[in-house]
Amino acid sequence: MTSVVRSILAGAALSLAALPAAAEEKPRAEVMHWWTSGGESAAIKTFADAFDKAGGEWVDTATAGGENSRAATINRMVGGKPPTAAQFNTGRQFDDLVTQGLIRPIDDLADAGGWKKAMPASLVAAASRDGEMYALPINVHGQNWIFYSRDVLEKSGVAELPKTWEEMIPALTKIKEAGYIPLALGGQPWQERSLFNAILLQQGGRELYLKIYQDKDEEAVRSDGFRKVVETYGKLRDMVDPGSPGRSWNDTTALLLNDKAGIQEMGDWVKGEFTNAGQKPDQDYGCSIGLDDTMLMVGGDVFVFPKIDDPSQKKAQDLLVETMISKDAQVAFNLAKGSMPIRKDVDTSQFDVCAKKGLKLLQSEDSQVPVFDILLSASLVGSLDDVITQFWNNPSATTDDMVEGYVNAFEIEG
Amino acid sequence: MAAAHRRTFNTATLVLVPFWLVVLAAYVGTMLWTVQISFTASKLLPVNTYVGFYQYERLFSSTRWIVTMQNAVIFGVLFIGGALVLGFLLAVVLDQRVRFENTLRTIFLYPYAMSFIVTGLIWQWLMNPGLGIQKAVRGWGWTGFSFDWSVDRDMALYALVLAGLWQASGLVMALMLAGLRGVDDEIWKASRIDGIPPWRVYLFVIVPMLRPLIVTAVVLLAISVVKAYDLVVALTNGGPGIATELPAKFVMDNLFTRQNIGLATAAATVMLITVAAVLVPWIYAEYFRKARKGAAT
């Protein structure tokens, strides 16, 4: 009996002794992220595999839900036990962490790797503070996609997706008369806002979009152009089904999958749902950027690297950046994720029809705008969400209410 | 004798010191810290840049906060009042020595064993027009039937109340039943001799006797109103629009998604002050004044 205990103890001691040695050999990287759904975890696994192959040791810390994961990251960074790398959305979520000096700038790595030039300038800017890069963008998500069910459109007598919102309203009415749900929308504030911003970009145009969200120009908010967008948006209230409030985006996509609804406005992560259901782009479902494939609203994910003094952790961070941004990893990751590679110089032949449309627009700065949470602070985004959701859910709310709501939000939170 | 008494008193105080420290640090300390942060410009992280009452100005110029406060009052009154009435009636019914009392008691108390998240989710399904009761009843042939409170802007708040009542009434029932069982049989005998109808006995004799239990129930229910967050998140997530936003959710949203620690702590402080303003005078009247009166006589 005692000999058994002794050998177990000896074994434990040995394994303990062996651990630090192994850690010294391999750079060990703990990565915090929130990619837990099927397609997402397949995507992050491509990074993990690439990192392990490059000689590192990937430690996965996944927390379901972006908010929870970010809260955990921030708590650990403030508490002095930061992970090696942590996921954020492209935008201003990590502003305060940069101000507090908790994040490592990665310009040296960008210069060494030479990949900065290959990225869309707006996303590089979104990852930089005062000209220095503090985050590594790893993908591009287009967020003004219109997905539509070919069957439903056909059966309703809509031959083709209309190219403008003016033509879209009669088309949606036709779909409604044919007994389908015209517009599949999940009634959560962020989805309602996503639809509104897509219409703003399509109908108001790039200039108006940027004037409002980049310059926070009050006159632009009061302009006829913006009012027209609000009116279009208001007309769409009759185009959703009664089950809409509170529905998640993927349950909403299911309405398209089952040919119950006509169109859905969403980001390109929706494609994962179609792919999982075995549907093919252009055959079973259609995809369009905005309505006429001319202007892409871009956002995405980044990784930040907390400032750590430990040289082995620094080495791990260097290796992480190198593997994540490498051309092969970019292709593998983004194919699994449904997003587009952050580098323009990778081989895109394997991507589907939809992604190729997006990649084309990514080539030029003039055919893209940043998604609005890149441009605005989290609290202003929240305030605008409140304004939009109140307008959407209250049929008696007027265009003036919306305009005044925007002006107030800019004044208070701007 | 006196010396021995003082010694036990000292030991007792000594034993209590750590508890007092924990209470002070954990409750009062965090409370003060929250109030302090509400006067700073904190966004994602707490900072020490003081901005006076700026966060409070922001708070009260936000439509959402105003709606939130109104909702809290409507929800609170209906929920507390409803749970008290329903719970008391259930207790009275069970008090008639009905058959299967144990089974019924368990059934009524069961919802309380569930978390608000589960309650919220169940009712969300029941009230979802595409899945729940409405669809079932329409499927049976009553096509005009409509029960879609959770997605109806004007009714969603009452959907919250309904789900809350379903959960909390059982607890009130259990408390009240215990109280009813403690009522002396002599009272019933006396009332029967005097020929007073039972409902009058319940209303004018028993209810005043149950006063301490009612106070307990109100405090318990009020606490769940103040901290109502999970129920909202699971049932409506504040929607449609902002129709069912409640203060606790406002605080959580600003704390974690909107990077507005300053605003969130200001809202929390306002909640604290409101609760204190309502509860302190009442508790004082309920316990301390009476205790003093009792001591005087």
Side-chain angles (χ1 to χ4, degrees), chain A residues 254-316:
Chain A
L255 294 175
L256 264 72
L257 286 175
N258 303 327
D259 288 337
K260 283 186 185 159
I263 70 166
Q264 183 187 13
E265 187 285 327
M266 236 320 90
D268 46 17
W269 47 84
V270 163
K271 281 193 305 187
E273 300 293 310
F274 285 110
T275 313
N276 272 347
Q279 297 205 1
K280 297 224 159 45
D282 250 12
Q283 296 173 18
D284 307 302
Y285 69 95
C287 56
S288 165
I289 301 171
L291 291 174
D292 55 0
D293 290 327
T294 53
M295 194 64 72
L296 185 69
M297 193 189 294
V298 296
D301 300 287
V302 299
F303 274 99
V304 301
F305 302 90
K307 244 182 209 163
I308 307 179
D309 291 332
D310 180 4
S312 73
Q313 279 293 296
K314 259 189 187 154
K315 232 172 77 188

Side-chain angles (χ1 to χ4, degrees), chain A residues 67 70-71 74-75 78 88 92-97 100 102 187-189 192 242-246 378-383 385-386 389-390 393-396 412-413, chain B residues 42-47 54 58 61-64 67 124 128-130 134 148 150-153 229 236-237 239-242 245 250 253-254 256-260 263:
Chain A
E67 291 155 26
R70 288 194 295 270
I74 291 163
N75 281 340
V78 175
F88 280 86
R92 305 181 54 171
Q93 287 168 350
F94 49 92
D95 265 10
D96 272 18
L97 296 173
Q100 301 279 320
L102 293 169
Q188 295 170 336
E192 294 161 359
S244 165
S379 69
L380 182 50
V381 167
S383 295
D385 277 0
D386 286 348
T389 190
Q390 284 183 72
N393 285 290
N394 181 0
S396 57
I412 298 168
E413 305 289 340
Chain B
S42 305
K43 284 178 181 162
L44 174 63
L45 304 170
V47 293
Y54 169 67
R58 261 175 88 196
S61 59
S62 138
T63 346
R64 181 167 159 191
V67 171
Q124 193 210 325
N128 184 314
Q134 176 176 322
D148 54 358
S150 70
V151 295
D152 179 343
R153 203 172 137 260
Y229 169 72
T236 61
N237 204 10
I242 55 167
E245 295 286 352
F250 183 93
D253 281 354
N254 279 294
F256 292 107
T257 34
R258 299 199 174 174
Q259 307 189 351
N260 254 334
L263 187 68

Side-chain angles (χ1 to χ4, degrees), chain A residues 95-165:
Chain A
D95 265 10
D96 272 18
L97 296 173
V98 173
T99 320
Q100 301 279 320
L102 293 169
I103 295 180
R104 170 184 172 188
I106 55 169
D107 267 279
D108 48 337
L109 298 171
D111 291 342
W115 33 259
K116 201 166 161 178
K117 289 189 298 290
M119 293 182 175
S122 60
L123 293 179
V124 171
S128 308
R129 301 291 177 270
D130 298 326
E132 263 200 291
M133 251 182 131
Y134 281 93
L136 179 72
I138 48 158
N139 63 0
V140 184
H141 271 302
Q143 307 203 358
N144 61 330
W145 287 88
I146 304 278
F147 295 94
Y148 53 97
S149 159
R150 285 202 168 279
D151 272 359
V152 172
L153 258 62
E154 235 167 70
K155 284 179 192 155
S156 319
V158 181
E160 209 168 47
L161 192 75
K163 297 273 181 230
T164 64
W165 279 101

Side-chain angles (χ1 to χ4, degrees), chain A residues 67 189 386 389, chain B residues 64-65 68 72 160 225-239 241-258 264 267 271:
Chain A
E67 291 155 26
D386 286 348
T389 190
Chain B
R64 181 167 159 191
W65 174 250
T68 295
L160 279 187
V225 171
V226 173
K227 66 175 194 187
Y229 169 72
D230 32 12
L231 182 66
V232 190
V233 169
L235 188 55
T236 61
N237 204 10
I242 55 167
T244 52
E245 295 286 352
L246 288 178
K249 183 162 176 289
F250 183 93
V251 173
M252 292 296 279
D253 281 354
N254 279 294
L255 212 51
F256 292 107
T257 34
R258 299 199 174 174
M271 277 169 78

